[in-house]
């Protein structure tokens, strides 16, 4: 069975298939993440070309199949996040967020809330909001999607939610100072890094307007999230490696 549908979609990735065709992965509002086959892109008048570029959201007219590949027939309201497409730094962060989404989501699982958040996140990066913080918020959000739920709301022993905290791998969550002794090999992370990670686990993306974080603190947050991802998720994405390497040379060309 197939059906022609109008869906909102955000392009997650595109790759060449044989000479002239493409496989485009799109996160849609009503059908979740789907792989689309797009034919005939050598044609200079190929009208779908702008709509299937990375970092673009569109309304697609699509032939949605129950299994296997689906097909794109047309697109309208094509909205490229053009700053992301042109800025190597913003591109790096946005690519990682979308690759994380791709890794975290099963095909055909509808998640309209996440769909809206990803569009919002791309808009924020495109508008010049702090792309590292946008990335961090999604990294914390996606932990749940990877099926790992460290306790980030408060101390795993007493439930305390005020004050300074550290992270314990052994106990899979935060410790307050009164329970630091429960894990001598706790992270010894900077309390302000933990503070922001806790914040990111509860605030909505819109709150980013009120969050201002120094580079030093961002580096500390990065270090903690890297440990969480390494220990709990174990994902090695190329786009993340690129961001890590970028830190070594970005100041030279900025
Ligand atoms: Zn405690």
């Amino acid at each position: 069975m197939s059906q022609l549908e109008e869906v909102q979609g955000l392009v997650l990735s595109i790759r060449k298939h044989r000479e002239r065709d493409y496989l485009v992965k799109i996160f849609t509002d009503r059908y979740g993440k789907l792989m689309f086959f797009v034919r005939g892109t050598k044609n200079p008048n190929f009208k779908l070309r702008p709509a299937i570029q990375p970092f673009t959201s569109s309304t697609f007219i699509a032939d949605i199949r129950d299994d296997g590949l689906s097909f794109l027939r047309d697109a309208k309201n094509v909205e490229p996040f053009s700053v992301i497409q042109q800025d190597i730094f913003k591109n790096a962060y946005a690519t990682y967020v979308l690759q994380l989404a791709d890794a975290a989501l099963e095909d055909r699982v509808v998640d309209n809330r996440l769909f809206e958040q990803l569009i919002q996140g791309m808009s924020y990066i495109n508008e010049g909001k702090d792309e590292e913080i946008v990335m961090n918020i999604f990294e914390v959000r996606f932990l749940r999607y990877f099926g790992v739920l460290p306790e980030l709301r408060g101390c795993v022993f007493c439930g305390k939610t005020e004050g300074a905290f550290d992270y314990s791998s052994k106990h899979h969550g935060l410790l307050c100072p009164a329970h630091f002794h429960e894990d001598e090999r706790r992270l010894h992370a900077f309390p302000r890094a933990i503070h922001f990670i806790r914040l990111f686990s509860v605030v909505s993306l819109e709150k980013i307007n009120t969050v201002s974080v120094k580079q030093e603190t961002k580096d500390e947050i990065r270090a903690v999230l890297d440990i969480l991802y390494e220990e709990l998720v174990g994902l090695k994405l190329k786009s993340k490696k690129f961001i890590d390497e970028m830190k070594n040379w970005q100041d030279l060309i900025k």
Side-chain angles (χ1 to χ4, degrees):
M1 276 295 288
S2 73
Q3 46 192 335
L4 220 48
E5 295 273 356
E6 201 170 285
V7 296
Q8 304 298 320
L10 173 67
V11 176
L12 294 179
S13 68
I14 172 170
R15 70 185 153 91
K16 251 203 157 105
H17 180 72
R18 304 226 180 90
E19 271 292 286
R20 63 185 64 194
D21 305 327
Y22 282 92
L23 289 169
V24 187
K25 210 178 273 181
I26 299 176
F27 187 27
T28 70
D29 58 347
R30 288 167 49 221
Y31 292 91
K33 187 180 80 171
L34 289 173
M35 185 71 95
F36 291 89
F37 181 80
V38 181
R39 197 186 302 276
T41 55
K42 278 268 170 71
N43 179 346
N45 297 321
F46 176 59
K47 62 185 178 181
L48 275 173
R49 189 185 304 279
I52 61 171
Q53 300 307 309
F55 314 111
T56 305
S57 81
S58 302
T59 305
F60 292 102
I61 314 302
D63 178 354
I64 309 276
R65 303 289 171 105
D66 289 342
D67 46 31
L69 299 169
S70 294
F71 300 87
L72 296 180
R73 297 286 185 243
D74 206 349
K76 56 185 182 182
N77 310 323
V78 178
E79 287 184 32
F81 296 105
S82 50
V83 180
I84 295 176
Q85 289 172 341
Q86 290 156 27
D87 179 306
I88 186 171
F89 301 106
K90 294 189 197 309
N91 194 299
Y93 291 102
T95 300
Y96 175 54
V97 169
L98 294 189
Q99 285 192 1
L100 264 187
D102 190 10
L105 289 165
E106 300 288 337
D107 282 3
R108 298 172 193 277
V109 174
V110 180
D111 192 334
N112 208 15
R113 171 108 183 93
L114 182 65
F115 176 77
E116 303 275 334
Q117 286 178 341
L118 280 173
I119 299 271
Q120 183 73 73
M122 292 299 117
S123 303
Y124 282 159
I125 295 177
N126 202 61
E127 288 164 12
K129 296 215 163 57
D130 193 322
E131 56 266 16
E132 280 190 81
I133 298 300
V134 174
M135 168 181 71
N136 292 157
I137 291 173
F138 278 107
E139 286 176 299
V140 173
R141 281 296 145 82
F142 282 134
L143 286 172
R144 180 167 70 81
Y145 287 82
F146 288 113
V148 294
L149 289 162
E151 178 55 84
L152 298 174
R153 288 167 301 179
C155 175
V156 291
F157 284 94
C158 64
K160 193 173 166 220
T161 56
E162 302 277 312
F165 294 93
D166 199 358
Y167 181 77
S168 163
S169 300
K170 184 176 158 195
H171 297 294
H172 205 52
L174 302 182
L175 301 179
C176 75
H179 291 102
F180 280 177
H181 66 273
E182 297 285 353
D183 183 5
E184 300 209 325
R185 302 185 61 194
R186 65 185 190 274
L187 214 49
H188 294 96
F190 291 96
R192 54 175 182 247
I194 302 287
H195 164 80
F196 279 108
I197 290 170
R198 288 188 64 215
L199 187 68
F200 297 158
S201 74
V202 292
V203 297
S204 66
L205 194 57
E206 291 75 30
K207 288 280 190 317
I208 189 171
N209 291 311
T210 62
V211 176
S212 165
V213 186
K214 285 187 300 186
Q215 188 57 49
E216 191 190 356
T217 306
K218 285 194 237 174
D219 294 342
E220 293 163 10
I221 294 169
R222 179 73 268 141
V224 176
L225 285 176
D226 279 349
I227 290 169
L228 288 183
Y229 264 76
E230 204 174 299
E231 287 187 350
L232 300 174
V233 183
L235 198 64
K236 300 245 183 288
L237 294 174
K238 262 193 240 163
S239 51
K240 174 58 171 54
K241 190 158 171 265
F242 182 79
I243 290 172
D244 294 342
E245 290 168 357
M246 191 169 80
K247 292 194 185 286
N248 299 325
W249 53 262
Q250 65 180 3
D251 292 337
L252 299 175
I253 65 166
K254 253 183 179 169

